[in-house]
């Protein structure tokens, strides 16, 4: 076996006062009180004078014996009846196998979901619903027969015409009456002929210049032919132009709502628990939604799917993310935090107010979630300098980013969706109007939020209850533990390194307990 470019650890800082250790330095040494001390592993990349581990067969043999040396860590204590390092090795092996099984099961589950959704989407044909143009008048009505109908289905009718909107303030009493009639012949289950009729009344607008689409769903219980009739009852003798289309659905409305809720809940579970990446979770949810639409009989065409994409919102978010990336690379958020610290002169509440005000102003023009994610590391560093609890400061910044994000039309994606609505644009609600209506209210909310924030934290202790040494030691323990958890022990050397890191965590936790007892006394 040939080993090339072997590099177990980049750096592992030890407590020794000596200089950098080479690979000839023993990995472990035992103190007179039979306690284990871990020496520093030196990386050959930090020094150009030392040779690589690939240099001699003796070094190769030493690397092969690395696992056996680590396995004998606890032999210095003869009173123990078990080997904790062996238990650690067994736990690491089991955890790696469990993670491998979970990874394989996750990939297999996603593959099954994609295959099933693709099959369902390809099984059902694309239902094109062409609009039929017609005219009705007081002396002439419209009739249409539907013969290709199945049992227990839903008939969805869409009618477009000069109808009233949501608020019927300009009604004149004119209306269009649409009747859906089905006659069931006598059979073994019923002795007499049965007739089912549904009436749908749609009021007409007085101006009759805007076309509004209305839709309604009717329950069809049998496969008997359906007669659809459209009549108009106006005060004058004018002709009313209409457009009509129909569609057959095989699932009830309640079942459609349940299916949509299950898909939405599944996407949120994938995102919240970070089972897969959020982009992949959204793609799986969209694929499942298309498969569900195909099953219920409402499979959209490719043109319809493309029309669902809101290019204006996507382009705005894309440009906003570019601006945020540029600001983060140039250190703009760090500069704002440092200026807030300088202006406050190290005082807690002025610094919190300035940070919240900066976060609110930036969120009015950038995405508030991304702004908060970039502000969080800077806020934590400032809180470490002032020995503050960063949770309270971060909560205050989140509140003010939400307030500032609602001020403009580009501050939050929901605002972009609202401004992009065509109906609101027809009523004069554009970008400038939305910002003008919201800006004054947001300024009043900001002025009243600072006193409420001060009252909220009136009895809160913003400073840490523990000294900085203990906080830094806890952070160091967290870093070592996360580093050890990222290592998947696939070989003896990786197992040895992970065991060393876990033993380092145990030593630091023991030191932490001693410092906590000293601090409590």
């Amino acid at each position: 076996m040939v080993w090339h470019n072997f590099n177990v650890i980049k750096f592992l800082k030890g407590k020794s006062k000596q200089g950098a250790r080479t690979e000839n330095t023993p990995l472990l040494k035992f103190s007179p009180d039979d306690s284990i001390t871990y020496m520093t592993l030196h990386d050959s990349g930090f020094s150009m004078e030392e040779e690589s581990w690939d240099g001699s067969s003796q070094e190769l043999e030493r690397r092969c014996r690395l696992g056996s040396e680590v396995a004998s860590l606890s032999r210095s204590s003869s009173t123990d009846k078990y080997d904790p390092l062996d238990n650690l090795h067994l736990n690491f092996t089991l955890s790696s196998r469990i993670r491998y099984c979970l990874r394989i099961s996750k990939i297999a589950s996603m593959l099954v979901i994609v295959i099933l959704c693709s099959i369902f989407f390809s099984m059902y044909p694309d239902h094109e619903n062409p609009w039929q143009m017609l005219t009705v008048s007081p002396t002439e009505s419209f009739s249409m027969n539907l013969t290709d109908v199945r049992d227990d289905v839903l008939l969805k009718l869409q009618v477009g015409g000069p109808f009233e909107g949501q608020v019927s303030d300009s009604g004149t009493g004119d209306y269009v009456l649409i009747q859906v009639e089905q006659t069931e012949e006598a059979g073994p289950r019923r002795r007499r002929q049965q007739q089912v009729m549904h009436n749908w009344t749609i009021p007409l607008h007085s101006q009759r210049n805007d076309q509004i689409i209305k839709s309604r769903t009717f329950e069809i219980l049998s496969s008997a032919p359906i007669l659809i009739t459209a009549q108009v009852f106006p005060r004058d003798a004018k002709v009313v132009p209409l457009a009509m289309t129909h569609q057959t659905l095989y699932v009830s409305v309640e079942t459609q709502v349940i299916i949509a809720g299950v898909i939405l809940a599944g996407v949120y579970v994938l995102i919240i628990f970070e089972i897969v990446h959020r982009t992949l979770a959204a793609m799986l949810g969209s694929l499942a939604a298309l498969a569900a639409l195909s099953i219920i009989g409402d499979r959209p065409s490719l043109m319809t799917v493309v029309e669902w994409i809101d290019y204006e919102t996507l382009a705005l978010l894309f440009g906003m993310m570019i601006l945020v990336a540029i600001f983060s690379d140039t250190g703009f958020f760090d500069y704002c935090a440092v200026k807030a610290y300088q202006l406050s002169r190290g005082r807690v509440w002025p610094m919190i107010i300035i940070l919240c005000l900066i976060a609110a102003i930036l969120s009015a023009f950038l995405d508030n979630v991304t702004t908060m994610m970039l502000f969080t590391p800077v806020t934590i560093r400032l809180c470490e300098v002032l020995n503050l609890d960063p949770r309270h400061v971060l909560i205050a910044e989140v509140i003010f980013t939400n307030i500032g994000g609602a001020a403009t039309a580009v501050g939050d994606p929901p605002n972009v969706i609202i401004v992009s609505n065509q109906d609101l644009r027809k009523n004069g609600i554009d970008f400038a109007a939305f910002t003008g209506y919201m800006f004054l209210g947001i300024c009043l909310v900001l002025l009243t939020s600072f006193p409420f924030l001060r009252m909220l934290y009136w009895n809160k202790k913003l400073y840490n209850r523990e000294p900085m040494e203990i906080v830094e030691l806890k952070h160091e323990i967290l870093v070592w533990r996360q580093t050890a958890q990222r290592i998947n022990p696939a070989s003896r050397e990786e197992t040895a390194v992970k065991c060393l890191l876990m033993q380092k965590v145990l030593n630091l936790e023991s030191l932490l307990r001693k410092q906590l007892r000293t601090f409590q006394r």
Side-chain angles (χ1 to χ4, degrees):
M1 181 184 298
V2 181
W3 298 68
H4 293 286
N5 299 327
F6 181 81
N7 188 2
V8 179
I9 296 181
K10 290 290 185 183
F11 57 92
L12 182 61
K13 295 184 178 179
K15 299 294 184 179
S16 177
K17 297 181 180 179
Q18 301 178 2
R21 307 279 179 173
T22 64
E23 66 274 5
N24 296 324
T25 305
L27 186 65
L28 306 171
K29 72 175 183 179
F30 300 95
S31 59
D33 56 351
D34 292 335
S35 61
I36 301 173
T37 304
Y38 296 90
M39 306 303 294
T40 305
L41 285 176
H42 180 66
D43 186 12
S44 60
F46 293 108
S47 177
M48 300 300 295
E49 300 176 357
E50 298 174 358
E51 296 179 355
S52 175
W53 280 12
D54 302 333
S56 62
S57 59
Q58 183 180 2
E59 296 168 355
L60 179 60
E61 184 179 358
R62 184 181 294 110
R63 291 199 307 271
C64 295
R65 292 199 304 267
L66 182 61
S68 60
E69 289 179 1
V70 176
S72 61
L73 288 176
S74 61
R75 293 178 184 175
S76 60
S77 179
S78 59
T79 58
D80 295 339
K81 296 182 181 180
Y82 60 93
D83 192 350
L85 193 59
D86 291 340
N87 292 336
L88 285 175
H89 174 71
L90 180 60
N91 293 332
F92 293 155
T93 304
L94 291 177
S95 62
S96 63
R97 290 178 180 176
I98 292 174
R99 285 196 299 270
Y100 179 76
C101 294
L102 291 176
R103 190 183 303 112
I104 295 299
S105 61
K106 180 177 69 175
I107 296 175
S109 301
M110 290 190 296
L111 182 61
V112 170
I113 292 174
V114 171
I115 292 176
L116 290 179
C117 293
S118 302
I119 291 175
F120 289 144
F121 187 73
S122 59
M123 283 176 56
Y124 297 92
D126 184 10
H127 292 280
E128 297 183 358
N129 303 315
W131 288 86
Q132 184 176 1
M133 306 303 297
L134 55 103
T135 56
V136 291
S137 62
T139 59
E140 183 179 359
S141 61
F142 171 79
S143 299
M144 179 175 58
N145 289 321
L146 300 180
T147 56
D148 189 9
V149 182
R150 293 170 50 182
D151 295 338
D152 298 329
V153 297
L154 297 177
L155 179 63
K156 181 180 179 181
L157 281 181
Q158 289 182 327
V159 182
F163 305 132
E164 292 182 356
Q166 299 294 334
V167 181
S168 58
D169 54 351
S170 58
T172 58
D174 301 345
Y175 61 91
V176 173
L177 177 63
I178 298 177
Q179 296 179 344
V180 179
E181 181 180 355
Q182 185 180 30
T183 303
E184 299 181 4
E185 301 293 337
R189 295 185 178 181
R190 60 177 57 88
R191 298 180 180 179
R192 297 180 181 179
Q193 186 178 12
Q194 185 178 3
Q195 185 176 6
V196 180
M197 180 178 294
H198 303 278
N199 294 327
W200 182 18
T201 302
I202 308 176
L204 291 174
H205 196 272
S206 59
Q207 300 295 332
R208 297 184 184 181
N209 50 6
D210 295 332
Q211 184 177 8
I212 298 177
I213 297 177
K214 300 285 186 177
S215 63
R216 186 173 178 180
T217 305
F218 304 94
E219 295 184 0
I220 306 301
L221 302 178
S222 64
S223 59
I226 300 175
L227 177 61
I228 300 176
T229 305
Q231 298 177 355
V232 63
F233 296 91
R235 295 182 180 179
D236 50 9
K238 293 183 179 180
V239 178
V240 179
L242 298 177
M244 181 181 297
T245 182
H246 66 278
Q247 185 179 1
T248 304
L249 304 178
Y250 306 107
V251 179
S252 62
V253 178
E254 292 79 7
T255 308
Q256 295 178 21
V257 173
I258 293 174
I259 293 174
V262 169
I263 294 175
L264 183 62
V267 172
Y268 272 104
V269 167
L270 293 178
I271 295 175
I272 291 173
F273 294 98
E274 296 182 354
I275 300 176
V276 295
H277 195 269
R278 55 182 178 271
T279 305
L280 183 58
M283 293 178 65
L284 291 176
S286 60
L287 186 59
L290 291 176
L293 289 175
S294 301
I295 293 174
I296 67 176
D298 193 11
R299 176 188 167 181
S301 60
L302 180 60
M303 186 63 66
T304 305
V305 174
V306 172
E307 290 177 355
W308 288 344
I309 302 175
D310 193 351
Y311 291 100
E312 295 182 357
T313 305
L314 292 179
L316 181 61
L317 293 177
F318 180 74
M320 192 181 301
M321 295 303 171
I322 292 177
L323 292 177
V324 171
I326 294 174
F327 284 160
S328 61
D329 291 340
T330 55
F332 178 76
F333 298 97
D334 297 341
Y335 175 78
C336 292
V338 171
K339 293 300 291 184
Y341 181 79
Q342 291 178 353
L343 293 175
S344 63
R345 296 180 181 179
R347 292 174 294 179
V348 177
W349 272 106
M351 187 191 69
I352 293 176
I353 292 175
I354 294 174
L355 285 177
C356 293
L357 188 60
I358 293 175
I361 294 174
L362 291 178
S363 297
F365 303 98
L366 301 176
D367 184 27
N368 53 0
V369 177
T370 309
T371 304
M372 195 63 216
M373 290 177 63
L374 295 174
F375 240 100
T376 299
V378 185
T379 304
I380 292 176
R381 287 198 293 269
L382 287 178
C383 292
E384 289 177 353
V385 172
L386 298 176
N387 196 19
L388 295 176
D389 189 358
R391 293 176 297 178
H392 304 297
V393 183
L394 291 176
I395 290 174
E397 290 180 357
V398 168
I399 293 174
F400 280 88
T401 51
N402 289 329
I403 295 174
T408 60
V410 295
D412 212 9
N415 298 355
V416 180
I417 297 174
I418 292 173
V419 175
S420 301
N421 192 356
Q422 298 297 331
D423 295 335
L424 291 179
R425 286 187 177 183
K426 292 179 181 179
N427 294 329
I429 306 298
D430 53 358
F431 184 91
F434 182 88
T435 304
Y437 287 137
M438 297 294 296
F439 187 76
L440 181 60
I442 292 300
C443 291
L444 296 177
V445 171
L446 284 176
L447 293 177
T448 57
S449 296
F450 287 112
F452 279 106
L453 181 65
R454 190 67 179 88
M455 294 175 59
L456 179 64
Y457 289 160
W458 187 265
N459 295 324
K460 297 279 186 179
K461 293 184 178 180
L462 299 180
Y463 290 93
N464 287 320
R465 299 180 181 179
E466 299 174 347
M468 186 58 61
E469 293 79 8
I470 295 179
V471 175
E472 291 179 355
L473 186 57
K474 288 183 177 180
H475 180 68
E476 185 178 358
I477 292 173
L478 178 62
V479 171
W480 283 108
R481 182 179 287 111
Q482 290 179 352
T483 305
Q485 291 176 354
R486 290 191 184 99
I487 298 177
N488 294 324
S491 62
R492 184 178 299 177
E493 289 80 5
E494 293 178 351
T495 304
V497 172
K498 191 164 186 176
C499 293
L500 290 175
L501 294 177
M502 293 303 297
Q503 189 65 33
K504 177 74 173 179
V505 172
L506 295 177
N507 293 337
L508 291 176
E509 288 179 348
S510 177
L511 179 60
L512 177 62
R513 286 193 294 269
K514 292 180 182 179
Q515 291 188 1
L516 287 176
R517 286 196 296 267
T518 304
F519 175 71
Q520 290 173 1
R521 287 197 299 266

